Amino acid sequence: MQDDLLAQAQAWLTEDPDPDTRAELARLIDTKDVTELGARFSGTLQFGTAGLRGELGAGPMRMNRTVVIRAAAGLAAYLRKQGHEGGLVVIGYDARHKSADFARDTASVMAGAGLRAAVLPCPLPTPVLAFAIRHLGAVAGVEVTASHNPPRDNGYKVYLGDGSQIVPPADTDIAAEIAAIPSLTTVSRPTEGWETLDDSVLDAYLARTDAVLAKDSPRTARTVYTAMHGVGTDVLLAAFARAGFPAPALVTEQADPDPDFPTVAFPNPEEPGAMDLAFAKARETDPDLIIANDPDADRCAAAVKDGGDWRMLRGDEVGALLAAHLVNRGAQGTFAESIVSSSLLGRIAAKAGLAHEETLTGFKWIARVENLRYGYEEALGYCVDPDGVRDKDGITAALLITELASVLKSQGRTLPDLLDDLAVEHGLHATDQLSVRVQDLSVIAAAMRRLREQPPTHLADLPVTRAEDLTQGTDKLPPTDGLRYTLDGARVIVRPSGTEPKLKCYLEVVVPVTAHAGLPAARARATELLAAIKRDLSEAAGI
């Protein structure tokens, strides 16, 4: 067993083109560290609808140049079989460790496979890549990013020519092509033959960002902004300047790209503590709004002053605010969201006479909704300009929420005031999440199995009126690994995360409220119900 493992590692070492991971692997072989080698060689990173994502390091279970070259070769083979010989593949990347190397390797493989490759000029937000695919008429796009994952991770996200992320069966077809590559020696990797783009694509994206704002709308809201050590600062500042908003006050400690994310435990605005520096800056400068992007700037978080101090708005709250703003501006088309997002969007759309669709989790599904005008999911993702970017876009979402804050400011009102109005009009929709991060993925499998074998009949003393196993699919949804419980005045969805070692449980309660005076009691009731559902669900799942 040990000899087989060492032989596998030695074979990998002979092909590895990266001196960093070669040295790392050689050290593990020399010390015969079978535990660590076993973890690296226990399988291969699986290519799926999120592409690839994992910890950096040597071996097939880590993100490294060998894994990326094989992935690029598989993608190139898939594109050629689809009739895209000679087609353009555009490649973007963030500022994480190894991102530029992975982008360059991808360009080399595409050029070697007879495709044209173009690399964005520097680390840029993911939505710029999603925009560039359609703008340049590419047949596919690749973004090297691990979004808001920890510093040790990187990832590889694939888009097809419609500008949206891959969905089945493309993912399994590409995975099969990757698996069919016998060795790196069979992959042509020239040292030139691809294009490095200039700033014209970024300029075209920025010109497009103006389209999300209403002509002559107020542009007075003052903001604090954090890029969370990612790539958003320069692009967001440029977009705000073009739009005529006041220049945001920057959280300087987090403004420049830094792949080690030194001021946060996890570079995700949703994580505890991640927004502390932004709150401190807001207490100094007293803005109307705090805006945060995640490191690749495809997500947008907002925080508001509420009850004398600052608080993060939930993704569902921002989703409802943007929907109400677009309705007020006369938007037409379909409003879409993932099934784990708040049902409030459906009520806003119905009241406005607009179509509403629910999809599986992820913008790869939301972006494919017919006649999409606006799409969001609770994890801080918003698509407000689907004709420009068929994916979530944290830059244009920031512009739109700042426009709404400006409109309300001109009326002497705030974002929390509008949330109160929506609660009185549609009922108080309160959401929360029970999220369990694990070291051992079997914990997640065991929890899902337990819930399937012994589904809860009551949560928070509310009867479960319907229990659905989403692996069977529904009349509107393809199969997915998830469970949905409908209760009287509440809803719960349980699913394993597609990108992180987490079990995620999405909770929503709806409390009727007939007047503003009833809001404090309704909020207290919602808080009580959510806490009880969380407690009972934890017990039912054994987590």
Side-chain angles (χ1 to χ4, degrees), residues 132-178:
I133 294 165
R134 297 169 80 194
H135 179 69
L136 297 173
V139 298
V142 171
E143 177 70 16
V144 181
T145 181
S147 188
H148 55 276
N149 274 40
R152 64 179 181 271
D153 290 0
N154 213 328
Y156 198 80
K157 189 183 288 189
V158 176
Y159 298 74
L160 294 182
D162 62 355
S164 55
Q165 297 172 49
I166 55 169
V167 294
D171 57 339
T172 50
D173 292 347
I174 295 168
E177 296 293 347
I178 295 169

Side-chain angles (χ1 to χ4, degrees), residues 78-95:
Y78 168 82
L79 292 171
R80 289 175 58 145
K81 285 187 178 176
Q82 296 295 310
H84 296 310
E85 179 83 36
L88 174 67
V89 178
V90 61
I91 302 148
Y93 58 103
D94 67 11

Side-chain angles (χ1 to χ4, degrees), residues 387-407:
D387 291 339
V389 176
R390 292 197 81 80
D391 198 6
K392 54 187 178 288
D393 183 345
I395 304 296
T396 50
L399 287 170
L400 198 63
I401 195 71
T402 307
E403 178 185 59
L404 173 56
S406 300
V407 170

Side-chain angles (χ1 to χ4, degrees), residues 193-516:
W194 61 89
E195 179 185 1
T196 299
L197 296 165
D198 59 20
D199 286 337
S200 58
V201 169
L202 176 58
D203 292 342
Y205 168 81
L206 286 168
R208 177 88 206 179
T209 61
D210 297 353
V212 306
L213 302 174
K215 198 170 185 302
D216 303 323
S217 63
R219 312 278 167 92
T220 58
R222 293 169 52 253
T223 55
V224 158
Y225 172 71
T226 175
M228 208 67 65
H229 297 297
V231 297
T233 298
D234 290 347
V235 178
L236 183 128
L237 289 179
F240 270 55
R242 287 182 63 98
F245 287 112
L250 297 181
V251 178
T252 52
E253 301 94 326
Q254 299 174 335
D256 296 328
D258 187 331
D260 293 319
F261 306 106
T263 68
V264 289
F266 286 94
N268 177 356
E270 292 179 296
E271 292 283 349
M275 295 288 285
D276 286 356
L277 288 171
F279 290 158
K281 187 73 174 180
R283 291 179 194 117
E284 277 175 36
T285 57
D286 196 29
D288 301 296
L289 183 66
I290 298 172
I291 297 288
N293 287 138
D294 68 338
D296 69 327
D298 63 349
R299 296 168 197 249
C300 176
V304 295
K305 205 169 192 180
D306 197 7
D309 203 3
W310 291 86
R311 77 166 179 95
M312 270 275 288
L313 293 175
R314 300 192 72 84
D316 285 316
E317 291 178 306
V318 175
L321 287 168
L322 292 178
H325 183 43
L326 289 170
V327 165
N328 195 48
R329 280 181 24 184
Q332 295 296 309
T334 301
F335 280 23
E337 63 183 326
S338 60
I339 57 171
V340 299
S341 304
S342 173
S343 59
L344 178 54
L345 183 69
R347 294 184 180 179
I348 291 170
K351 181 85 179 281
L354 299 175
H356 170 252
E357 291 286 339
E358 283 190 319
T359 73
L360 293 184
T361 309
F363 266 83
K364 58 185 175 282
W365 301 108
I366 294 170
R368 286 179 160 73
V369 168
E370 196 172 332
N371 195 30
L372 180 67
R373 174 58 186 87
Y374 168 63
Y376 99 92
E377 63 181 2
E378 54 71 46
L380 311 181
Y382 312 94
C383 175
V384 301
D385 177 25
D387 291 339
V389 176
R390 292 197 81 80
D391 198 6
K392 54 187 178 288
D393 183 345
I395 304 296
T396 50
L399 287 170
L400 198 63
I401 195 71
T402 307
E403 178 185 59
L404 173 56
S406 300
V407 170
L408 292 167
K409 186 179 181 179
S410 72
Q411 301 165 354
R413 305 175 73 234
T414 65
L415 295 171
D417 291 336
L418 181 52
L419 286 171
D420 287 352
D421 292 349
L422 291 172
V424 171
E425 188 174 1
H426 302 288
L428 177 71
H429 290 62
T431 57
D432 201 357
Q433 194 178 122
L434 172 62
S435 183
V436 182
R437 186 182 290 272
V438 301
Q439 294 294 324
D440 180 0
L441 289 176
S442 69
V443 173
I444 294 176
M448 294 297 287
R449 185 168 60 249
R450 179 168 168 158
L451 288 170
R452 285 191 169 102
E453 290 172 357
Q454 298 174 291
T457 57
H458 287 76
L459 294 169
D461 293 330
L462 300 174
V464 175
T465 57
R466 189 175 184 197
E468 298 169 274
D469 186 344
L470 299 176
T471 52
Q472 310 302 311
T474 72
D475 54 345
K476 291 193 170 181
L477 298 171
T480 187
D481 186 7
L483 301 163
R484 179 163 61 183
Y485 304 115
T486 304
L487 300 95
D488 187 12
R491 182 217 65 201
V492 173
I493 293 173
V494 184
R495 59 178 280 272
S497 169
T499 56
E500 299 177 88
K502 281 184 175 181
L503 181 67
K504 291 188 165 185
C505 310
Y506 304 84
L507 325 175
E508 180 178 41
V509 298
V510 183
V511 180
V513 55
T514 54
H516 284 76

